[in-house]
Amino acid sequence: MATRYFGKSIRRNEDPRLLTGRALFVDDVQLPGMLHVAFLRSDFAHGRLRSVDFEDALELPGVVAIYDADSLGDYWQPGPLLVPPPPVQDIVFRARTQVPLARGKVRHQGEPILGVVAESRYVAEDALDLIVVDVEPLTAVASLEGALADDAPLIHEDLDSNLAAHVIQRKGDFEEAAARADLVIERNFLYDRGASATIENRGVVAHWDDRAQHLTLWDTTQAPIPIRNGLAAMLGLSESQVRVIAPFIGGGFGPKIMMFYPEEVLVPWIAMRLDRPVKWIEDRQENFYATTQERGQVHESALAVDREGRILGVKDVFVHDNGAYNPYGLTVPINTQCTLLGPYRVPNYHSEFRSVFTNKTIVTPVRGAGRQHGVFVMERLLDLAARQLGIDRAEIRRRNLLTPDEFPHDHQIIFQDFAPLTYDSGNYEPCLDKALEMIGYRDFLENEQPRLRAEGKHVGIGVVCYVEGTGIGPYEGARVTVEPGGTVSLATGVGTQGQGHFTVFAQIAAEQLGVPVEKVRVVTGDTGVFHWGTGTFASRGAVVAGNACNAAVLEVRRKILKLASKLLEASEEDLELADGTVRVRGVPASAIPLGKLAQEANPLRGAVQPGTEPGLEATAYFGPSSGSTANGVHAMIVEVDPETLLVEIQRYVVVHDCGKVINPLILEGQIEGGVAQGIGNAFYEQLVYDEQAQLLNASFMDYLLPTSTDVPRIESGHLETPSPLNPLGVKGAGEAGAIPVGALFAQAVEDALSGGLEIREIPLSPNRLFQLVSEAEEPE
Amino acid sequence: MKPPPFEYHAPDTLEEVLELLAEHGEEGALLAGGQSLVPAMNFRLAQPTVLIDLNRVAELDYLEEEPDGALRVGAMTRQTTAERSETVRMRAPLLHQTMPYIAHPQIRNRGTIGGSLAHADPSAELPTVMAALDARFRLQSAGGERWVEVADFYEGMFATSREAEELLREVRIPPLEPAMGWDFQEVARRHGDYALVGVAAVVQLDSERRCTRARLTYLSVGDGVVEGLQAAESLLGTECGEQQRREAARLAALADVEPLEDMHASAAYKRRLVEVLTSRALTGAVQTARRRVD
């Protein structure tokens, strides 16, 4: 029996390089004669740009050039609309995309106005201090409610309001369902999110080789291939003249899929214009203003249930903040709209949202990408209904879960990939049971909690369910080559930001080719090596690129068997691939090392059959018809100090089903990282803006990320319901950890405080909890 | 986040430091552990034109016990050194107890006792603890030296009575009295963060277990070290029972502190924390004092 690699907790191929500091990151790129860029960014969130004076700055020794919007000539263009609106009836969508450098107006704090190029970053920043910018401040749109007010200042003055989109999706008839419901819960919810706060900020290095007429760009992007194609078009180059390398990247989480950032447009242009290599590395302060974020939504929601707690219908009307521009279309609010339905049977649904422009940094997907907002609303509504009906919180969920015979399940609304929101497969109740069992739900409620309460301890439990739409198209590709030395090379277009691609893709190859995982050399995110594909987003790497790898590997396997069959004079069915060789089953002496076979497949002399392709190599593509839907249940136990309102997470359980698991160790890491980010979202992280949309906490001193001491040990369990939509049966897992944490946190804390307190917002903090508890204690 | 140009000096002796201070005065900034100054320079919030680096001045790094039990701490003593010092644990247990609350181990490895005290951050633990311990600061310049009380040293947020040509050279912590008890309590969002509120409590009991001296000092509730004067006074002459401690905590929250709202805590929440933490710190301090009386 050949060694199995798929499904094993194999240590990561990339870790030795990462742990010993030998991995290449963008800032490691040092080129002779390299120049550095610093940007002058708007201090105001909204203002009219009157004039700039940079003459003194140009005089500073070491300053090479300074560019404003006018110096770009025709190169100055608003960025592309990355995601057009989905085909929903009567949709209103008004695109206004970001510009390379502000012209006429500034629309959010940190919007770049000028780029200073100098011999060092120090000199470039010194020059910023010498520039005089005259901006007439305008009243800023800082709140969701304020954006659509009659007297709201117009952010884009060619529009008649700050409305960016209005979308209604309906299924059944909510009003009719509400009329016959035993209970209708109506509440408002606020869900606010923070920055993605990757450990590595963004960065771009550009090198124009004038003799070769070739541009190389190192970029912290999640989408190197679209960046290459877009840049080539903008710069008037052919795609083959541009190579984009997304080397090791310290976290992506979504904002690095956004394109084009102004810096990505400007740095290569400057490098070509000055014929010198140019580097820009975002500093942490810039990151808070200049890198896209997720932020708030305000929901007005209603849940109609019968007296057994069965969902009859949901109505949800919300406002979404898309920031000053909306290049990412409607992905985030559509995710909210779709993911709200969760693992539940919802016969009637009315969902309506308005997306609005505000004078804040652009909103694009951040891990979860709006899904948590929807999950929060649905889970909170179920908690409130359970409380009012006297039904156990786990039980009300169980009663509404879709059952295995209801798959594939068509929710009759449109998802972010423009396909109908259809769940491919799922088996939800066992997930819930397993989570309840792991956390000891019954025992906690019946014994533990009463006992601890008697001791004066405020402990609470929570349990929430969610789904995650993952692995959407359009497609990815991979090329697999058996090298003459016996190693296997695998190239794919998706970039990597820590997910473990170098290992899981290698496992897929190793499984079919019978070579050890460490013998598979994976290259990702280098358009010089592979240039077809879209990028790393929407929990799609394993699903889409993974299945492309599998298809290419199977083709190489076919070639191996065909050639070996000829050489060994044995039928293909009698051959096996193991230990880096192909051999007749049961005849170890017949083994031909794959490297030798690769040499045979690429002869220097002699004749080959017509139609024969040289080498043991294949390229294949995979595009799913629609996304695959993963699901999970999270449960937690918290203790709240009633005096200080500090919250301690005592236990955290995740039960998750993402279909076939390629590497349980890596999956665990994904889930734990997501939960950590979710905990940050629920209790620590908040972008605090004042009424003029000035960000007040643009540093890690005041923007609080959860640290290792704030994240509990996470106990996880897995179920495997394979996806029928791809040969490997896998579903995505990248965002699963982060999605339900806010809803869970609110429920558990509410339970711990066990008063009349109702938590309808995230993020919380001890300060906010103190306020909520004080309000709840006040007599009406 | 790069600092503007500055002139850099790295003297080896105290004498050279004092000469440089005399020469550069207002333009000069002293670099101790650099845990606050360097980020401030990178943000360009501080733009000194001359930087005098104290890290090579070995003679400023010492912990010495005096015959009477007082403790002398050299300004360049690393916070980690103080944290791990047996002398500090024996002679200034309140300081010992407080050290782990100061940021993170990596920061304490670089951060110095003198640097933190001279920086005068209202949310720093060390000034509050030194006030509770009645420590005195030794300031030295090329022209001579002087000793000041904690209360006379601090003049507000990031402001002290240190003259531009002076160096905070040493702190002297008086001997630990018998029948003295102490405690330190703080609440921070995450361990190692600037505290939302922190309090140091010191009480001294007589042989009858009656309070002869009480001291409550706070951080993060004003523009410097804030004294809980009325609360402390309310304990004098009492046995510091639970009721009295609770009363004192209430008094501290209502009468002694005037906290301002910031993005992490409202004034009301800060008052709540003052009350809770005062009560907890007094309980700890009184328990210790009683143990030492017996």
Side-chain angles (χ1 to χ4, degrees):
Chain A
M1 179 64 198
T3 315
R4 295 295 309 263
Y5 298 105
F6 191 98
K8 292 284 186 305
S9 284
I10 287 166
R11 287 200 201 171
R12 306 200 323 162
N13 272 350
E14 52 267 59
D15 283 348
R17 265 188 293 168
L18 287 166
L19 295 173
T20 55
R22 288 177 294 137
L24 181 86
F25 289 83
V26 170
D27 200 16
D28 294 323
V29 177
Q30 304 292 350
L31 299 168
M34 194 159 73
L35 296 170
H36 299 262
V37 184
F39 288 94
L40 185 108
R41 297 178 182 279
S42 176
D43 290 331
F44 295 101
H46 197 193
R48 215 169 291 290
L49 189 53
R50 282 213 188 107
S51 66
V52 288
D53 176 359
F54 50 85
E55 272 182 29
D56 288 352
L58 271 175
E59 298 295 309
L60 188 71
V63 171
V64 176
I66 299 178
Y67 300 108
D68 63 6
D70 288 340
S71 24
L72 300 180
D74 290 343
Y75 191 63
W76 187 97
Q77 294 290 337
L81 176 64
L82 284 173
V83 187
V88 171
Q89 208 187 344
D90 297 330
I91 191 170
V92 174
F93 179 71
R94 314 199 283 186
R96 290 296 178 274
T97 57
Q98 74 288 355
V99 297
L101 291 170
R103 168 180 273 166
K105 266 186 99 171
V106 289
R107 295 187 177 88
H108 69 85
Q109 193 186 9
E111 186 166 18
I113 298 170
L114 292 166
V116 175
V117 190
E119 297 291 342
S120 79
R121 178 68 177 251
Y122 287 85
V123 173
E125 292 195 17
D126 291 343
L128 296 182
D129 284 351
L130 302 174
I131 297 171
V132 181
V133 179
D134 184 8
V135 174
E136 175 198 342
L138 300 170
T139 305
V141 175
S143 72
L144 285 171
E145 297 82 354
L148 293 177
D150 289 341
D151 59 347
L154 290 177
I155 295 168
H156 298 282
E157 287 162 14
D158 55 331
L159 295 178
D160 58 1
S161 78
N162 294 315
L163 182 75
H166 183 204
V167 178
I168 302 175
Q169 293 216 65
R170 275 196 207 95
K171 165 192 186 182
D173 183 347
F174 171 80
E175 299 306 331
E176 182 275 327
R180 64 186 161 83
D182 293 314
L183 175 68
V184 178
I185 302 274
E186 290 179 315
R187 291 290 190 283
N188 290 358
F189 299 98
L190 165 67
Y191 195 102
D192 198 2
R193 288 201 74 194
S196 69
T198 50
I199 196 163
E200 184 194 12
N201 294 322
R202 290 184 300 122
V204 184
V205 177
H207 178 219
W208 169 248
D209 182 340
D210 197 51
R211 290 187 194 182
Q213 293 285 296
H214 188 269
L215 178 73
T216 306
L217 193 79
W218 290 263
D219 188 355
T220 53
T221 182
Q222 292 171 235
I225 296 166
I227 291 280
R228 179 197 73 148
N229 300 350
L231 262 187
M234 283 189 271
L235 293 166
L237 300 171
S238 72
E239 290 181 357
S240 60
Q241 281 177 286
V242 183
R243 178 184 180 192
V244 174
I245 301 169
F248 278 100
I249 293 171
F253 307 129
K256 289 176 184 165
I257 191 83
M258 165 43 203
M259 58 185 273
F260 282 85
Y261 279 104
E263 302 87 356
E264 282 172 327
V265 176
L266 291 164
V267 170
W269 180 84
I270 295 169
M272 287 181 73
R273 196 172 170 97
L274 299 178
D275 195 14
R276 285 179 70 178
V278 177
K279 175 186 269 190
W280 169 75
I281 298 295
E282 184 183 56
D283 67 35
R284 184 57 69 182
Q285 199 176 19
E286 288 182 288
N287 183 266
F288 275 100
Y289 306 114
T291 290
T292 59
Q293 312 162 342
E294 251 184 59
R295 283 191 308 274
Q297 291 179 357
V298 178
H299 289 248
E300 279 180 45
S301 319
L303 170 72
V305 287
D306 68 15
R307 74 175 51 81
E308 272 77 49
R310 287 196 182 80
I311 299 170
L312 303 177
V314 175
K315 181 176 183 182
D316 182 45
V317 179
F318 67 96
V319 185
H320 170 78
D321 173 5
N322 64 214
Y325 304 95
N326 57 352
Y328 221 94
L330 297 172
T331 299
V332 175
I334 293 273
N335 272 342
T336 305
Q337 187 165 58
C338 290
T339 312
L340 183 143
L341 296 168
Y344 306 116
R345 199 178 301 106
V346 181
N348 298 287
Y349 187 37
H350 175 107
S351 173
E352 175 174 359
F353 70 81
R354 285 176 178 76
S355 187
V356 297
F357 293 109
T358 62
N359 287 118
K360 294 180 182 174
T361 298
I362 300 170
V363 164
T364 68
V366 176
R367 197 179 204 173
R371 295 177 182 88
Q372 30 285 74
H373 302 66
V375 169
F376 185 76
V377 170
M378 184 62 147
E379 294 295 308
R380 292 276 64 203
L381 286 169
L382 285 172
D383 291 334
L384 292 163
R387 188 195 281 191
Q388 205 140 329
L389 293 168
I391 301 174
D392 173 78
R393 282 171 281 153
E395 182 57 28
I396 198 168
R397 289 172 167 80
R398 184 190 306 279
R399 287 179 192 173
N400 289 291
L401 291 177
L402 291 165
T403 53
D405 58 333
E406 292 175 90
F407 292 91
H409 186 80
D410 183 357
H411 274 298
Q412 299 167 37
I413 58 173
I414 303 288
F415 192 42
Q416 58 148 315
D417 61 353
F418 303 174
L421 178 67
T422 303
Y423 296 175
D424 52 339
S425 66
N427 190 6
Y428 298 155
E429 198 173 4
C431 261
L432 177 61
D433 285 334
K434 186 160 187 168
L436 296 177
E437 183 200 315
M438 283 174 70
I439 201 139
Y441 183 75
R442 276 281 134 242
D443 182 60
F444 180 85
L445 284 180
E446 284 163 18
N447 305 312
E448 196 73 354
Q449 192 177 41
R451 184 177 67 75
L452 290 166
R453 282 206 178 139
E455 290 174 19
K457 293 196 166 147
H458 289 61
V459 288
I461 196 166
V463 56
V464 297
C465 306
Y466 66 102
V467 298
E468 180 197 358
T470 76
I472 56 172
Y475 79 97
E476 288 298 334
R479 185 179 65 243
V480 173
T481 313
V482 178
E483 305 268 355
T487 56
V488 174
S489 288
L490 187 158
T492 175
V494 300
T496 193
Q497 304 87 40
Q499 293 90 340
H501 292 153
F502 299 91
T503 311
V504 290
F505 296 155
Q507 281 177 264
I508 291 168
E511 178 77 10
Q512 296 299 339
L513 300 181
V515 297
V517 171
E518 60 273 17
K519 289 272 186 198
V520 183
R521 188 175 155 271
V522 175
V523 176
T524 71
D526 181 347
T527 66
V529 180
F530 198 89
H531 63 257
W532 296 103
T534 51
T536 309
F537 58 94
S539 302
R540 67 193 286 281
V543 181
V544 189
N547 275 288
C549 290
N550 188 52
V553 168
L554 287 174
E555 180 57 21
V556 169
R557 183 186 163 91
R558 204 186 55 74
K559 288 185 177 180
I560 290 170
L561 291 173
K562 189 175 170 197
L563 182 58
S565 159
K566 203 170 111 195
L567 295 176
L568 291 169
E569 296 176 351
S571 83
E572 291 184 23
E573 295 78 60
D574 293 337
L575 300 179
E576 65 175 1
L577 277 75
D579 306 328
T581 69
V582 55
R583 65 197 182 199
V584 178
R585 212 170 267 123
V587 189
S590 68
I592 304 173
L594 292 185
K596 187 155 184 302
L597 199 70
Q599 292 168 30
E600 296 283 346
N602 185 21
L604 285 173
R605 295 289 184 279
V608 297
Q609 295 293 320
T612 303
E613 289 177 7
L616 300 176
E617 179 174 285
T619 301
Y621 299 90
F622 180 76
S625 55
S626 66
S628 48
T629 304
N631 69 285
V633 178
H634 290 206
M636 92 201 286
I637 293 174
V638 298
E639 179 171 354
V640 182
D641 180 332
E643 291 188 318
T644 63
L645 279 312
L646 293 183
V647 179
E648 189 195 317
I649 301 172
Q650 297 190 326
R651 285 190 62 199
Y652 201 106
V653 166
V654 177
V655 175
H656 185 245
D657 185 346
C658 57
K660 287 288 190 190
V661 176
I662 304 171
N663 184 323
L665 185 70
I666 286 175
L667 176 60
E668 204 109 317
Q670 274 284 16
I671 301 286
E672 289 185 10
V675 170
Q677 227 160 3
I679 289 172
N681 187 189
F683 199 54
Y684 295 98
E685 299 180 48
Q686 185 164 25
L687 293 162
V688 182
Y689 287 90
D690 71 9
E691 66 283 0
Q692 285 308 315
Q694 293 279 319
L695 182 60
L696 302 179
N697 60 340
S699 88
F700 283 155
M701 191 169 82
D702 286 316
Y703 183 87
L704 309 179
L705 288 171
T707 67
S708 57
T709 56
D710 306 303
V711 178
R713 193 174 75 83
I714 291 150
E715 306 160 54
S716 56
H718 290 285
L719 276 85
E720 287 196 1
T721 308
S723 171
L725 299 180
N726 64 76
L728 293 176
V730 297
K731 300 176 176 180
E735 300 165 272
I739 292 170
V741 189
L744 180 64
F745 197 88
Q747 189 193 125
V749 168
E750 202 175 88
D751 186 41
L753 291 169
S754 69
L757 180 65
E758 230 180 68
I759 297 175
R760 295 187 297 269
E761 65 188 56
I762 286 292
L764 297 167
S765 63
N767 183 51
R768 182 64 187 145
L769 277 175
F770 171 75
Q771 209 173 347
L772 292 173
V773 169
S774 306
E775 282 165 14
E777 281 168 358
E778 267 170 30
E780 292 283 316
Chain B
M1 287 176 74
K2 305 283 186 212
F6 54 86
E7 196 180 304
Y8 174 78
H9 298 275
D12 295 305
T13 65
L14 175 61
E15 198 185 332
E16 289 171 79
V17 172
L18 299 177
E19 276 169 26
L20 285 164
L21 278 172
E23 186 185 337
H24 296 291
E26 299 287 348
E27 288 91 59
L30 291 164
L31 175 68
Q35 300 302 293
S36 298
L37 178 60
V38 172
M41 287 171 66
N42 286 342
F43 277 115
R44 298 194 176 218
L45 296 172
Q47 303 200 1
T49 51
V50 178
L51 204 58
I52 304 166
D53 185 344
L54 299 176
N55 284 279
R56 294 183 193 181
V57 188
E59 62 195 289
L60 290 174
D61 176 9
Y62 57 88
L63 276 162
E64 280 170 17
E65 197 180 335
E66 294 199 340
D68 65 352
L71 189 64
R72 301 169 76 108
V73 185
M76 283 300 287
T77 305
R78 302 286 166 190
Q79 289 157 7
T80 297
T81 308
E83 181 182 356
R84 295 182 184 165
S85 156
E86 188 59 17
T87 312
V88 169
R89 195 176 72 80
M90 297 301 292
R91 294 293 152 205
L94 174 61
L95 177 60
H96 173 79
Q97 185 193 344
T98 306
M99 294 311 298
Y101 288 97
I102 303 170
H104 307 280
Q106 294 88 336
I107 289 174
R108 296 197 292 276
N109 284 341
R110 293 296 304 165
T112 65
I113 300 285
S116 174
L117 291 173
H119 186 50
D121 188 322
S123 15
E125 288 83 0
L126 285 174
T128 295
V129 168
M130 292 304 173
L133 292 173
D134 288 327
R136 297 174 75 217
F137 295 166
R138 182 181 178 189
L139 298 167
Q140 193 164 10
S141 66
E145 69 167 48
R146 62 188 176 115
W147 284 88
V148 296
E149 307 290 331
V150 174
D152 298 328
F153 183 72
Y154 291 108
E155 294 185 334
M157 199 177 283
F158 305 113
T160 70
S161 60
R162 182 180 74 86
E163 298 293 338
E165 69 281 2
E166 282 181 319
L167 169 77
L168 171 59
R169 177 188 173 164
E170 179 185 83
V171 187
R172 183 181 181 277
I173 300 169
L176 181 64
E177 301 286 339
M180 200 186 210
W182 58 86
D183 197 16
F184 182 83
Q185 293 277 337
E186 83 169 38
V187 165
R189 288 300 320 272
R190 303 167 303 185
H191 182 81
D193 276 341
Y194 286 113
L196 298 177
V197 172
V199 56
V202 174
V203 294
Q204 201 169 338
L205 306 178
D206 63 16
S207 53
E208 305 287 294
R209 286 183 156 206
R210 285 185 190 281
C211 181
T212 57
R213 186 168 161 262
R215 196 75 190 273
L216 288 162
T217 57
Y218 298 87
L219 54 126
S220 297
V221 290
D223 61 4
V225 178
V226 172
E227 296 264 359
L229 291 174
Q230 298 180 61
E233 199 183 317
S234 76
L235 292 166
L236 294 178
T238 78
E239 289 183 347
C240 299
E242 196 187 335
Q243 188 58 32
Q244 283 135 352
R245 298 197 300 267
R246 243 189 247 155
E247 283 300 322
R250 201 164 302 144
L251 206 53
L254 290 175
D256 283 328
V257 300
E258 283 290 338
L260 292 176
E261 177 168 39
D262 61 41
M263 79 176 74
H264 299 297
S266 67
Y269 180 52
K270 285 198 170 201
R271 281 191 201 275
R272 154 72 79 88
L273 292 177
V274 165
E275 183 172 347
V276 171
L277 296 184
T278 303
S279 180
R280 291 179 186 179
L282 282 174
T283 302
V286 168
Q287 274 170 3
T288 307
R290 285 181 186 163
R291 209 166 42 236
R292 288 165 57 89
V293 173
D294 298 339

